[in-house]
């Protein structure tokens, strides 16, 4: 891609309402623009990153045997009345009337729709176990949208739903999803932890959350310093009948191993064993071997758009974003320093640009008629992992300046070394 043709949308100033670094940098790097409170446009660079997150999720969901579908965002409110959640979910559920005065809502999650879908779709127990998923826009009328896309009203979620014959089989489907999540967060390259969690408004018996560790995280997590014990402090408080979680630091771990340490986390994924809650209440019965069964369900969410913000919270410096390579919108920035507008410099850039493309390296060629300082700071705030600089020096000596995002100074390399340097 040539920067002269790209709608970059970078800006120098921090947005006045931004409290945390990822929100500031997502606006400054031209990833998102606000439309209204908690509602955002994704610009070309942001959409590219979001798509990388989605593709990693999709790849691992497919590998785990889950099948992709797409359910509607608009849902009949009657289904929520049937499940009994219309009141329980509260004001986060945005309800409205169509022209015939039928009540609808914008989907904050899809347990009702999927259960209803499976009523006609699953006709024999032999079709179980099965897991279906989608990657789609959700709407929750959050009381306090903040931190950009971290807690927005409209956001992108991957939600998967499993259907099993019995509890044992549900245990297996749950583990398969847990393993897929582990692979997803490893591939994305984030420092994360899995903790026991509260099932909240979704319901069910058991659940775990995946948290990206960050000071700005809204959740407090408690870890044993000796064992694998890890829990969301919200749940620990409930278990310990209302004790202030900050008093849970330094206390013995409830599993009897070690003492508890507290850390902050950003919830990026949540997996639940739902049991028969939705299949029973919405009457999803499947013909079994000798009688109908209500399947055991599980549900599994990942906040795809929140992951983009969480990755920035963990990976930035004073100049901007420092993408983990799996999420970088481009692998290399080719910066043309061509103050005298020399054809030879343009030609050299074109040659290297084509070399990158032939080697399947995503390259952003900054061919804009701007001062070098402006180009460098744009590439740095966007967080492109490597920069190649082509200017007078390249014509004189053949040497190319090469710099990794966090290097202080560029090194001089030859044309032949470029590809291997970028791929390592
Ligand atoms: P939270 O406690 O942060 O409100 P939740 O428990 O309501 O999250 P789930 O219903 O489990 O979240 O949704 C699955 C995932 O969707 C979450 O793990 C999170 O990554 C993402 N998510 C939830 N609410 C939002 C939001 N308002 N903005 C962006 N992502 C969200
Ligand atoms: Mg919530």
């Amino acid at each position: 891609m040539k920067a002269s043709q790209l709608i970059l949308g970078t800006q120098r100033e921090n947005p006045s309402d931004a409290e945390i670094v990822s929100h500031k940098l997502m606006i400054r790097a031209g990833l998102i623009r606000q439309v209204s409170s908690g509602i955002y446009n994704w610009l070309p660079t942001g959409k590219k990153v979001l798509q990388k997150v989605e593709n990693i999720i999709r790849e691992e969901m497919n590998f785990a045997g889950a099948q992709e579908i797409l359910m509607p965002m608009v849902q009949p409110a009657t289904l929520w009345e049937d499940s009994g959640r219309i009141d329980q979910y509260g004001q986060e559920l945005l309800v409205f009337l169509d022209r015939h005065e039928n009540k609808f809502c914008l989907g904050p999650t899809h347990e009702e729709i999927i259960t209803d879908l499976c009523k006609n779709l699953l006709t024999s127990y032999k079709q179980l176990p099965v897991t279906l998923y989608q990657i789609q826009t959700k709407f929750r009328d959050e009381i306090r949208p903040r931190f950009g896309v971290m807690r927005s009203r409209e956001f992108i979620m991957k939600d998967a739903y499993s259907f099993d014959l019995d509890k044992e089989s549900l245990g297996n489907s749950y583990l398969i999803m847990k393993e897929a999540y582990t692979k997803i967060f490893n591939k994305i390259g984030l420092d994360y932890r899995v903790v026991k969690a509260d099932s909240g408004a979704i319901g069910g018996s058991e659940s775990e959350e995946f948290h990206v560790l960050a000071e700005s995280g809204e959740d407090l997590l408690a870890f044993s310093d000796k064992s694998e014990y890890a829990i969301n402090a919200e749940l620990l408080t409930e278990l310990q009948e209302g004790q202030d979680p900050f008093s849970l630091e330094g206390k013995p771990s409830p599993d009897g191993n070690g003492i508890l340490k507290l850390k902050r986390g950003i919830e990026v994924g949540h997996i639940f064993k739902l049991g028969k809650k939705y299949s029973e209440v919405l009457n999803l019965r499947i013909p079994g071997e000798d009688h109908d069964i209500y399947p055991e369900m599980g549900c599994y969410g990942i906040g795809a758009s929140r992951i983009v913000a969480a990755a920035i919270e963990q990976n930035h410096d004073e100049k901007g974003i420092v993408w983990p390579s799996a999420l970088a919108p481009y692998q290399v920035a080719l910066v043309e320093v061509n103050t005298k507008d020399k054809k030879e410099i343009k030609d050299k850039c074109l040659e290297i640009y084509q070399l990158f493309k032939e080697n399947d390296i995503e390259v952003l060629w900054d061919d804009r008629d701007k001062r070098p300082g402006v180009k460098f700071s744009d590439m740095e705030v966007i967080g492109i992992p490597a920069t190649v600089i082509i200017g007078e020096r390249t014509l004189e000596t053949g040497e190319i300046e090469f710099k990794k995002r966090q290097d202080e100074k560029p090194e001089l390399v030859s044309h032949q070394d470029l590809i291997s340097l970028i791929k390592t």
Side-chain angles (χ1 to χ4, degrees):
M1 187 77 208
K2 290 183 185 174
S4 59
Q5 288 159 8
L6 180 66
I7 305 301
L8 261 181
T10 50
Q11 63 188 51
R12 297 275 166 267
E13 283 82 39
N14 284 317
S16 57
D17 62 333
E19 297 167 63
I20 60 170
V21 71
S22 61
H23 186 188
K24 291 177 189 164
L25 289 175
M26 285 185 80
I27 300 279
R28 279 179 42 207
L31 304 189
I32 53 167
R33 285 275 170 98
Q34 192 183 42
V35 179
S36 175
S37 169
I39 300 180
Y40 290 86
N41 288 307
W42 286 80
L43 305 189
T45 309
K47 179 73 171 104
K48 237 171 166 293
V49 177
L50 183 60
Q51 214 145 17
K52 294 205 167 186
V53 173
E54 290 176 9
N55 286 344
I56 292 172
I57 296 172
R58 183 173 280 117
E59 217 169 271
E60 291 305 328
M61 282 296 119
N62 293 346
F63 184 81
Q67 302 171 38
E68 187 167 6
I69 57 170
L70 184 60
M71 292 181 272
M73 191 192 172
V74 174
Q75 310 185 0
T78 45
L79 275 178
W80 286 72
E81 282 161 4
D82 294 347
S83 73
R85 276 211 296 183
I86 192 128
D87 296 322
Q88 191 200 356
Y89 213 88
Q91 289 189 307
E92 275 188 30
L93 189 70
L94 185 68
V95 181
F96 56 95
L97 296 176
D98 73 0
R99 64 170 76 200
H100 306 295
E101 309 242 319
N102 293 315
K103 236 196 238 179
F104 284 87
C105 61
L106 289 185
T109 178
H110 279 67
E111 284 78 14
E112 280 80 0
I113 291 276
I114 191 98
T115 310
D116 187 59
L117 168 70
C118 287
K119 272 164 104 163
N120 303 312
L121 201 60
L122 301 181
T123 50
S124 163
Y125 73 99
K126 291 185 182 154
Q127 290 171 295
L128 307 184
V130 67
T131 299
L132 301 169
Y133 78 98
Q134 62 173 347
I135 298 176
Q136 188 226 29
T137 301
K138 297 281 186 266
F139 191 92
R140 295 181 182 180
D141 203 356
E142 295 274 353
I143 188 163
R144 234 188 118 203
R146 57 187 185 145
F147 301 162
V149 295
M150 189 87 89
R151 181 163 300 283
S152 48
R153 295 198 293 166
E154 189 178 297
F155 57 97
I156 308 284
M157 197 204 283
K158 184 285 301 175
D159 44 330
Y161 304 87
S162 64
F163 299 84
D164 281 273
L165 197 54
D166 54 34
K167 278 203 161 42
E168 194 186 336
S169 178
L170 166 61
N172 194 44
S173 297
Y174 181 92
L175 276 184
I176 291 172
M177 279 296 118
K178 187 173 172 182
E179 201 174 293
Y181 274 41
T182 304
K183 284 163 79 181
I184 288 165
F185 294 114
N186 286 343
K187 266 195 184 172
I188 293 175
L190 297 175
D191 183 13
Y192 69 95
R193 299 286 185 279
V194 187
V195 303
K196 286 184 208 304
D198 188 8
S199 298
I202 305 268
S205 61
E206 192 183 327
S207 88
E208 287 165 290
E209 289 168 348
F210 286 69
H211 281 265
V212 166
L213 297 180
E215 277 305 311
S216 58
E218 289 184 289
D219 287 54
L220 201 56
L221 315 172
F223 300 92
S224 160
D225 65 349
K226 291 253 162 58
S227 73
E228 295 288 295
Y229 188 87
I231 187 165
N232 189 317
E234 193 181 61
L235 176 61
L236 188 59
T237 310
E238 234 170 74
L239 298 177
Q240 302 194 337
E241 287 167 1
Q243 277 187 34
D244 173 7
F246 282 99
S247 68
L248 293 171
E249 174 93 45
K251 290 261 171 72
S253 171
D255 73 342
N257 274 316
I259 53 160
L260 291 178
K261 294 256 184 277
L262 294 176
K263 281 193 176 137
R264 293 212 155 263
I266 300 166
E267 182 195 320
V268 285
H270 200 164
I271 56 177
F272 299 79
K273 284 185 188 170
L274 295 171
K276 296 183 178 176
K277 176 178 162 156
Y278 293 91
S279 54
E280 280 182 351
V281 75
L282 295 171
N283 200 26
L284 165 62
R285 273 186 304 176
I286 300 176
E289 211 164 2
D290 38 40
H291 57 84
D292 285 0
I293 59 118
Y294 292 103
E296 294 276 345
M297 290 171 57
C299 77
Y300 315 91
I302 292 189
S305 41
R306 184 181 281 183
I307 286 176
V308 177
I312 298 172
E313 285 298 317
Q314 250 180 19
N315 299 281
H316 65 269
D317 63 14
E318 71 288 348
K319 291 177 185 158
I321 302 168
V322 183
W323 288 113
S325 63
L327 299 194
Y330 297 94
Q331 288 161 276
V332 60
L334 174 64
V335 176
E336 177 183 335
V337 179
N338 199 0
T339 36
K340 295 193 181 125
D341 197 20
K342 278 197 176 163
K343 184 173 178 307
E344 294 93 317
I345 294 181
K346 238 309 140 247
D347 288 347
K348 188 75 191 165
C349 285
L350 182 62
E351 184 191 329
I352 291 177
Y353 182 66
Q354 271 159 354
L355 176 76
F356 287 143
K357 293 186 91 166
E358 280 156 21
N359 282 276
D360 287 327
I361 289 173
E362 290 168 293
V363 50
L364 179 62
W365 174 3
D366 199 345
D367 60 338
R368 293 174 300 167
D369 184 19
K370 298 251 183 216
R371 282 184 294 113
V374 171
K375 295 186 181 192
F376 292 131
S377 68
D378 271 351
M379 298 305 116
E380 278 166 344
V381 77
I382 295 170
I384 301 176
T387 300
V388 165
I389 305 155
I390 306 290
E392 291 285 347
R393 182 206 282 268
T394 321
L395 293 188
E396 283 159 21
T397 65
E399 288 167 323
I400 293 170
E401 286 181 75
F402 174 83
K403 190 170 134 356
K404 291 245 162 145
R405 171 63 179 76
Q406 284 184 297
D407 289 348
E408 273 298 312
K409 289 208 171 102
E411 54 176 318
L412 295 173
V413 303
S414 73
H415 194 125
Q416 290 75 16
D417 294 335
L418 275 180
I419 301 300
S420 61
L421 278 168
I422 287 159
K423 288 198 165 169
T424 51

